[in-house]
Amino acid sequence: MAAKNEQNSEKQPLAVRIEIIFSQALEEDFQEEFHDNKVGSHYTKLFPVMGAGFSNPRLGDAIWPQLNMMYIIYCGEEEAEKIKTIVSKLRVVYKDEGIACFISRAEEY
């Protein structure tokens, strides 16, 4: 157990959880931005994600055929700030797409 604690003390703690929900059509843009900014390399991707937020519903049916996807990223504060900048940038570029981003504190157990 001591070896794990020593190993974790050398790394920046993963203190931030970021959930980003966006249209599947934007995935390439997010991946490109993450790559260019060297962030978001460790993530969980959920697809399909269906729901209704503050933009058009994305339900994958005949009436609302589009689908969303979601990335969940655990990272440190510095990386989180870069990801927030990316989200803000893509919200300007795709102002009608309804990109959602939720950030919370995380503690590894």
Side-chain angles (χ1 to χ4, degrees):
M1 190 71 148
K4 182 179 180 187
N5 289 339
E6 289 172 21
Q7 200 174 35
N8 285 343
S9 66
E10 296 173 14
K11 298 179 185 177
Q12 183 180 13
L14 303 178
V16 180
R17 175 187 165 113
I18 302 174
E19 296 177 18
I20 309 170
I21 305 166
F22 54 91
S23 170
Q24 72 180 49
L26 305 183
E27 182 179 22
E28 189 175 314
D29 295 86
F30 271 97
Q31 287 180 343
E32 184 177 314
E33 288 289 335
F34 288 170
H35 178 267
D36 291 349
N37 290 280
K38 297 176 177 54
V39 296
S41 59
H42 300 95
Y43 60 89
T44 298
K45 180 170 96 173
L46 302 171
F47 179 80
V49 175
M50 295 173 273
F54 295 101
S55 64
N56 289 331
R58 292 193 169 67
L59 303 175
D61 62 17
I63 297 170
W64 301 104
Q66 291 183 325
L67 291 167
N68 280 333
M69 60 189 332
M70 180 167 62
Y71 278 12
I72 301 171
I73 301 168
Y74 289 92
C75 60
E77 296 284 344
E78 187 176 316
E79 185 173 352
E81 288 302 317
K82 291 179 182 179
I83 292 171
K84 283 168 55 175
T85 300
I86 291 168
V87 169
S88 294
K89 175 182 176 180
L90 292 177
R91 281 179 172 162
V92 170
V93 174
Y94 300 104
K95 61 183 174 195
D96 296 326
E97 286 297 324
I99 299 168
C101 181
F102 302 94
I103 299 174
S104 57
R105 295 279 138 222
E107 181 179 330
E108 184 177 4
Y109 174 72

